[in-house]
Amino acid sequence: MGKLLDGLVWLLGALLRLVLWLFLLGFGVLLLVVALPLLLLGALWALLRGRRVAVPLAAELLRRQMQERMRARGRGWGGRAGRGPGAAAGRGDEVVDVEARDVEVREGQTPNPTLPGDGPSRPRDDPRP
């Protein structure tokens, strides 16, 4: 009687595992069939409207956490130790977006490019020496 009961328990366990694997497979297929096209349509819609694609909050938090870990170790994304300026402060290279503008030089004026605020862009009534 014990062997029969053990065989029945094994059979029920195998059936339960098979049902759970089939459920998991069906859920994965559902994600691929429904969620992936919705994500792609959302990205396409954002691009058509000229807006940035929204990054899920969990992905953004994970990216920030990974960056903080890399900075704490003193390495950049490339895996090399940071040796440039700002490496001691734990900062990597930064990209700064600066708007360029033309500076007109009038006759008789020689702008000094080393001093900020000097040259034709400075107002005449500026009290600075």
Side-chain angles (χ1 to χ4, degrees):
M1 185 77 175
K3 289 190 177 197
L4 180 64
L5 192 57
D6 287 342
L8 188 60
V9 167
W10 180 86
L11 184 64
L12 285 175
L15 273 174
L16 184 64
R17 277 190 297 251
L18 181 65
V19 167
L20 288 176
W21 274 108
L22 288 175
F23 177 73
L24 185 64
L25 183 66
F27 187 70
V29 168
L30 179 72
L31 280 177
L32 284 175
V33 169
V34 173
L36 191 61
L38 285 176
L39 287 173
L40 291 175
L41 281 174
L44 182 64
W45 180 249
L47 289 173
L48 286 175
R49 291 184 309 160
R51 299 187 182 222
R52 288 180 107 179
V53 177
V55 177
L57 180 63
E60 182 66 25
L61 291 176
L62 181 64
R63 184 187 64 83
R64 286 182 189 172
Q65 185 181 23
M66 288 177 61
Q67 280 182 345
E68 289 301 319
R69 283 185 186 168
M70 295 302 273
R71 286 185 184 135
R73 292 181 188 160
R75 292 191 242 158
W77 284 103
R80 297 175 295 169
R83 300 281 185 231
R91 295 182 3 192
D93 294 334
E94 291 185 24
V95 177
V96 179
D97 186 16
V98 178
E99 183 177 335
R101 62 186 175 104
D102 291 332
V103 177
E104 297 175 13
V105 178
R106 298 182 197 134
E107 283 187 41
Q109 261 187 334
T110 56
N112 187 352
T114 60
L115 297 176
D118 248 355
S121 63
R122 194 166 107 184
R124 290 181 189 219
D125 57 346
D126 194 0
R128 290 182 291 171

